[in-house]
Structure formats: structure tokens, C-alpha cells
């Protein structure tokens, strides 16, 4: 017998935690499964009761998250976030901080899970920073770089998929260091893609525990947009992650987009280069790698952000050809393809850095230029 599910409409005091038209209940077995596919959902009938409210109504001046009604206030989820140790679990905490940035800019990102993945503490902290920036009319608003970075990856991912050989009807997307990423649930460009999320067993367990806690609390969860989702537990810094990826169903002969967002700089230099080379040498078809690189000055932000950074590259366009990549394009926050209408003030720090050669390490006052480089590369 088919299962009838209802998609519940949010209250009139809409919060960016959910995209109303895409908010549907999900079966427990499908959500926590390591291999989830759309075919498994064919027996589920969804009745959409959501309202027609425009889910893009929020504008850049209105970044509020209603923390009183947010799903992150669920007791089980708050306990999970409080269980993270600031030092031992710095990678998981960094992933939650990334989710908080997406939640506060959800009027442009539309991540249905960002708030619950972020947790109450990180959401409150970033929200206060945004308010302070807005109150003093700051040229840079907290979290805008995270919003631009996310949108750049989303856009380049869709573009890469559209450029693949049309004779192939099957594509793959691999997220290394997936963390709290929810692209498989929110990007319709992934409808023909098998998505693989690779991260440590601890990180994936934490993520799935949050999703299961939502289900047990009767909270609505988004349906899968990707063709299928596979979670691959492997410590990329120390283990044979590529072997486990293949064991999970990854096929080297299929066109693939690799997303290395907020990932490479957490690896030691040798391991980062080895990972990039592994991708270029082991893929037999069209392969695109999307990654962000910190320059050397940015690595020193680790202490301020209470995390650990290692690998950096000021010139990815010189490094990547040595590792097997042919076409390499480097962008900076604020460039025409990395702006999205969010960075308009010409005196904004990002615009200032764009006009200064990357050879210049610091301004006239000795303040270092800390750059985040957005890189698209093709292999072979």
C-alpha cells in the first residue's frame, strides 16, 4: 500500500529554515540509510500543503533567524551540539559555523537544513555580528563571504554538469569533507547525479544523528533532490578514502564534479597535494574540481577562529597543472562570477584586494592581505 505523507506549511512568521515548496516528510529508513535513492521513494505519495509565499522574499538587509521557533531549539539537537568539544571536534564545529553562515544568508542560498546543522550557539553568535555590522553600516557584513562562496560553488557545479558530454545520462558529484553540506537536498541541478559525501565516521554520525533527532521529534525534512546519496565514512587525512569511495559505488568512468569546499586547508601540504593528484589520476572521463584555496596570510586566522589550518597556495593556477589539471580558472570574492549582487560597495575590502596584485602580501600599514581563492579546474 502506498504511504501518504503531508508536506506542512510553515507559520506566517516565516523563518528561512525551510523552503516551503520543498518541505516534505521523509521516511526514517531512507534518511539515515547510507545509500538513498529516488527509486526507493516511489512508493511514497506526497501531498503538498505548503502556502504560495515567495521563499525569496527576504532581502540582504533582513538576515534575521527566528531562534525562538527554529528547529535548532529541539532539545535533542541542542544536546548534540553541546556535546562537541571545542578542541577535539574543531572540524565538526567548523562545519557548523559554515552552516550558520548559510542560515543567516538563506534568502539567497535556500538551504533547508542550515539552521539545524548550525546549532543555536553559532547562529546566535553570527547573528549578533551581522546586527553589529548593520548598525554601524559596515562595508563588509559578517557571513557575506560564506554566502558568496556557497553560491559560487552552486553555480559552477550546475555549469559544469551542463557542459558534460550530453551522450552520458549519468553523472557523479563527490563532496570531500562534506561536513554539514545539504546540496543533495536542495539543488535541482543534481537530479541526474549520484552524490557521494565523504567525511570521517564521526562527522557523518553527528550529521545523521541530527537528522534522526528531527525525525523523532516529528519535524518536516526536505526530500532528496539528487538521484541518489551515498555517505562514505573515511578520514581523508589518514585513510584510503578513494578505495572506500569506489566500494560505495563510485565509477571512475563517469563524468564527475568534485567539490572541495572549505576542505583543503585543513590538510597537511603533502596530503592536500596527494588528494588533488589522486583525483586527476584516477578518473577516466570528464572531471571538474571546484575548490577554495587560502593564501599564506589567511592560514594565520586559525587561532582567531579556534581551528587548525595547514595547506595554502597563493598561486593555484601554477600548482594544479603540476598535479594533472589542464584548465584552471581562479576567481576572488567580488569578481563578476563571485559577487551575486551581495558585494556592491566599491570600497569594500574584497573589491580593494581584487585591485591589488597577489604578489603584494600586505597594505601600506603592514596589514596582510588575506585572500580566499575560488578555483575551477578540469582534468585531464
Amino acid at each position: 500500500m502506498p504511504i501518504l505523507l503531508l508536506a506542512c506549511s510553515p507559520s506566517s512568521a516565516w523563518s528561512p529554515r525551510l523552503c516551503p515548496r520543498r518541505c516534505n516528510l521523509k521516511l526514517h529508513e531512507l534518511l539515515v540509510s547510507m545509500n538513498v535513492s529516488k527509486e526507493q521513494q516511489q512508493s511514497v505519495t506526497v501531498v503538498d500543503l505548503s502556502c504560495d509565499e515567495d521563499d525569496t522574499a527576504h532581502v540582504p538587509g533582513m538576515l534575521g533567524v527566528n531562534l525562538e521557533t527554529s528547529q535548532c531549539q529541539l532539545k535533542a539537537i541542542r544536546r548534540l551540539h553541546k556535546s562537541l568539544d571545542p578542541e577535539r571536534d574543531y572540524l565538526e564545529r567548523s562545519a557548523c559555523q559554515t552552516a550558520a553562515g548559510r542560515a543567516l544568508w538563506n534568502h539567497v542560498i535556500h538551504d533547508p537544513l542550515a539552521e539545524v546543522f548550525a546549532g543555536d550557539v553559532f547562529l546566535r553568535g553570527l547573528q549578533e555580528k551581522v546586527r553589529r555590522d548593520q548598525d554601524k553600516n559596515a562595508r563588509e557584513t559578517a557571513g557575506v563571504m560564506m554566502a558568496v562562496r556557497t553560491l559560487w560553488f552552486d553555480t559552477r557545479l550546475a555549469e559544469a554538469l551542463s557542459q558534460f558530454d550530453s551522450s552520458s545520462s549519468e553523472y557523479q558529484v563527490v563532496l570531500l569533507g562534506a561536513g554539514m553540506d545539504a546540496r543533495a537536498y536542495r539543488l535541482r541541478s543534481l537530479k541526474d547525479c549520484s552524490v557521494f559525501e565523504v567525511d570521517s565516521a564521526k562527522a557523518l554520525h553527528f550529521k545523521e544523528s541530527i537528522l534522526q533527532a528531527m525525525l523523532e521529534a516529528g519535524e518536516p525534512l526536505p526530500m532528496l533532490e539528487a538521484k541518489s546519496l551515498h555517505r562514505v565514512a573515511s578520514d581523508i587525512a589518514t585513510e584510503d578514502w578513494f578505495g572506500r569511495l569506489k566500494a560505495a559505488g563510485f565509477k571512475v568512468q563517469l563524468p564527475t564534479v568534485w567539490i572541495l569546499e572549505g576542505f583543503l586547508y585543513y590538510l597537511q601540504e603533502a596530503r592536500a597535494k596527494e588528494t588533488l593528484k589522486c583525483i586527476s589520476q584516477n578518473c577516466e572521463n570528464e572531471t571538474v574540481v571546484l575548490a577554495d584555496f587560502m593564501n599564506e596570510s589567511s592560514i594565520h586566522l586559525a587561532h582567531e577562529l579556534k581551528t587548525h589550518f595547514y595547506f595554502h597556495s597563493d598561486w593555484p593556477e601554477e600548482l594544479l597543472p603540476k598535479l594533472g589539471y589542464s584548465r584552471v580558472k581562479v576567481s576572488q570574492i567580488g569578481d563578476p562570477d563571485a559577487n551575486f549582487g551581495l558585494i556592491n560597495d566599491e570600497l569594500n575590502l574584497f573589491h580593494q584586494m581584487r585591485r591589488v596584485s597577489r604578489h603584494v602580501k600586505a597594505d601600506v600599514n603592514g596589514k596582510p592581505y588575506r585572500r580566499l581563492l575560488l578555483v575551477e579546474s578540469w582534468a585531464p
Side-chain angles (χ1 to χ4, degrees), residues 27-38:
L27 290 177
H28 173 81
E29 292 81 5
L30 299 183
L31 191 77
V32 300
S33 170
M34 296 299 284
N35 297 292
V36 188
S37 68
K38 282 186 174 178

PDB file of all heavy atoms in Angstrom, residues 27-38:
ATOM      1  N   LEU A  27      10.857   9.306   5.082  1.00  0.00           N
ATOM      2  CA  LEU A  27      10.865   8.081   5.858  1.00  0.00           C
ATOM      3  C   LEU A  27      12.179   7.918   6.602  1.00  0.00           C
ATOM      4  O   LEU A  27      13.240   8.207   6.073  1.00  0.00           O
ATOM      5  CB  LEU A  27      10.658   6.863   4.935  1.00  0.00           C
ATOM      6  CG  LEU A  27       9.264   6.728   4.329  1.00  0.00           C
ATOM      7  CD1 LEU A  27       9.245   5.537   3.407  1.00  0.00           C
ATOM      8  CD2 LEU A  27       8.231   6.593   5.408  1.00  0.00           C
ATOM      9  N   HIS A  28      12.077   7.442   7.814  1.00  0.00           N
ATOM     10  CA  HIS A  28      13.268   7.250   8.646  1.00  0.00           C
ATOM     11  C   HIS A  28      14.291   6.355   7.956  1.00  0.00           C
ATOM     12  O   HIS A  28      15.483   6.660   7.932  1.00  0.00           O
ATOM     13  CB  HIS A  28      12.846   6.635   9.980  1.00  0.00           C
ATOM     14  CG  HIS A  28      13.986   6.231  10.844  1.00  0.00           C
ATOM     15  ND1 HIS A  28      14.683   7.129  11.626  1.00  0.00           N
ATOM     16  CD2 HIS A  28      14.587   5.036  11.027  1.00  0.00           C
ATOM     17  CE1 HIS A  28      15.651   6.492  12.270  1.00  0.00           C
ATOM     18  NE2 HIS A  28      15.610   5.228  11.923  1.00  0.00           N
ATOM     19  N   GLU A  29      13.824   5.264   7.373  1.00  0.00           N
ATOM     20  CA  GLU A  29      14.759   4.323   6.755  1.00  0.00           C
ATOM     21  C   GLU A  29      15.531   4.957   5.607  1.00  0.00           C
ATOM     22  O   GLU A  29      16.692   4.637   5.381  1.00  0.00           O
ATOM     23  CB  GLU A  29      14.005   3.090   6.238  1.00  0.00           C
ATOM     24  CG  GLU A  29      13.413   2.216   7.341  1.00  0.00           C
ATOM     25  CD  GLU A  29      12.096   2.776   7.838  1.00  0.00           C
ATOM     26  OE1 GLU A  29      11.621   3.769   7.256  1.00  0.00           O
ATOM     27  OE2 GLU A  29      11.555   2.222   8.796  1.00  0.00           O
ATOM     28  N   LEU A  30      14.890   5.849   4.866  1.00  0.00           N
ATOM     29  CA  LEU A  30      15.544   6.468   3.721  1.00  0.00           C
ATOM     30  C   LEU A  30      16.523   7.540   4.157  1.00  0.00           C
ATOM     31  O   LEU A  30      17.574   7.717   3.544  1.00  0.00           O
ATOM     32  CB  LEU A  30      14.508   7.090   2.780  1.00  0.00           C
ATOM     33  CG  LEU A  30      13.489   6.116   2.181  1.00  0.00           C
ATOM     34  CD1 LEU A  30      12.580   6.856   1.213  1.00  0.00           C
ATOM     35  CD2 LEU A  30      14.191   4.980   1.468  1.00  0.00           C
ATOM     36  N   LEU A  31      16.190   8.255   5.217  1.00  0.00           N
ATOM     37  CA  LEU A  31      17.044   9.369   5.608  1.00  0.00           C
ATOM     38  C   LEU A  31      18.364   8.910   6.199  1.00  0.00           C
ATOM     39  O   LEU A  31      19.418   9.475   5.894  1.00  0.00           O
ATOM     40  CB  LEU A  31      16.314  10.255   6.626  1.00  0.00           C
ATOM     41  CG  LEU A  31      17.029  11.561   6.879  1.00  0.00           C
ATOM     42  CD1 LEU A  31      16.787  12.511   5.723  1.00  0.00           C
ATOM     43  CD2 LEU A  31      16.616  12.178   8.177  1.00  0.00           C
ATOM     44  N   VAL A  32      18.297   7.909   7.093  1.00  0.00           N
ATOM     45  CA  VAL A  32      19.522   7.504   7.775  1.00  0.00           C
ATOM     46  C   VAL A  32      20.270   6.422   7.025  1.00  0.00           C
ATOM     47  O   VAL A  32      21.340   5.991   7.437  1.00  0.00           O
ATOM     48  CB  VAL A  32      19.220   7.023   9.216  1.00  0.00           C
ATOM     49  CG1 VAL A  32      18.584   8.131  10.009  1.00  0.00           C
ATOM     50  CG2 VAL A  32      18.311   5.805   9.207  1.00  0.00           C
ATOM     51  N   SER A  33      19.713   5.993   5.904  1.00  0.00           N
ATOM     52  CA  SER A  33      20.396   4.982   5.105  1.00  0.00           C
ATOM     53  C   SER A  33      21.682   5.532   4.512  1.00  0.00           C
ATOM     54  O   SER A  33      21.796   6.702   4.212  1.00  0.00           O
ATOM     55  CB  SER A  33      19.481   4.526   3.963  1.00  0.00           C
ATOM     56  OG  SER A  33      20.185   3.729   3.046  1.00  0.00           O
ATOM     57  N   MET A  34      22.659   4.688   4.343  1.00  0.00           N
ATOM     58  CA  MET A  34      23.914   5.114   3.725  1.00  0.00           C
ATOM     59  C   MET A  34      23.775   5.225   2.214  1.00  0.00           C
ATOM     60  O   MET A  34      24.596   5.838   1.553  1.00  0.00           O
ATOM     61  CB  MET A  34      25.034   4.135   4.061  1.00  0.00           C
ATOM     62  CG  MET A  34      25.361   4.080   5.538  1.00  0.00           C
ATOM     63  SD  MET A  34      25.932   5.663   6.184  1.00  0.00           S
ATOM     64  CE  MET A  34      27.589   5.686   5.533  1.00  0.00           C
ATOM     65  N   ASN A  35      22.732   4.631   1.644  1.00  0.00           N
ATOM     66  CA  ASN A  35      22.514   4.706   0.200  1.00  0.00           C
ATOM     67  C   ASN A  35      21.043   5.010  -0.046  1.00  0.00           C
ATOM     68  O   ASN A  35      20.203   4.131   0.042  1.00  0.00           O
ATOM     69  CB  ASN A  35      22.895   3.391  -0.490  1.00  0.00           C
ATOM     70  CG  ASN A  35      24.359   3.074  -0.326  1.00  0.00           C
ATOM     71  OD1 ASN A  35      25.204   3.757  -0.877  1.00  0.00           O
ATOM     72  ND2 ASN A  35      24.654   2.053   0.455  1.00  0.00           N
ATOM     73  N   VAL A  36      20.759   6.256  -0.337  1.00  0.00           N
ATOM     74  CA  VAL A  36      19.385   6.694  -0.521  1.00  0.00           C
ATOM     75  C   VAL A  36      19.159   7.032  -1.991  1.00  0.00           C
ATOM     76  O   VAL A  36      19.945   7.752  -2.576  1.00  0.00           O
ATOM     77  CB  VAL A  36      19.104   7.949   0.336  1.00  0.00           C
ATOM     78  CG1 VAL A  36      17.624   8.293   0.296  1.00  0.00           C
ATOM     79  CG2 VAL A  36      19.556   7.720   1.774  1.00  0.00           C
ATOM     80  N   SER A  37      18.122   6.539  -2.589  1.00  0.00           N
ATOM     81  CA  SER A  37      17.862   6.834  -3.996  1.00  0.00           C
ATOM     82  C   SER A  37      16.419   7.264  -4.196  1.00  0.00           C
ATOM     83  O   SER A  37      15.540   6.961  -3.394  1.00  0.00           O
ATOM     84  CB  SER A  37      18.129   5.600  -4.870  1.00  0.00           C
ATOM     85  OG  SER A  37      17.181   4.598  -4.609  1.00  0.00           O
ATOM     86  N   LYS A  38      16.195   7.989  -5.306  1.00  0.00           N
ATOM     87  CA  LYS A  38      14.837   8.405  -5.614  1.00  0.00           C
ATOM     88  C   LYS A  38      13.946   7.204  -5.905  1.00  0.00           C
ATOM     89  O   LYS A  38      12.746   7.218  -5.633  1.00  0.00           O
ATOM     90  CB  LYS A  38      14.846   9.352  -6.820  1.00  0.00           C
ATOM     91  CG  LYS A  38      15.266  10.766  -6.455  1.00  0.00           C
ATOM     92  CD  LYS A  38      15.126  11.685  -7.644  1.00  0.00           C
ATOM     93  CE  LYS A  38      15.396  13.131  -7.253  1.00  0.00           C
ATOM     94  NZ  LYS A  38      15.305  14.040  -8.403  1.00  0.00           N
TER      95      LYS A  38
END
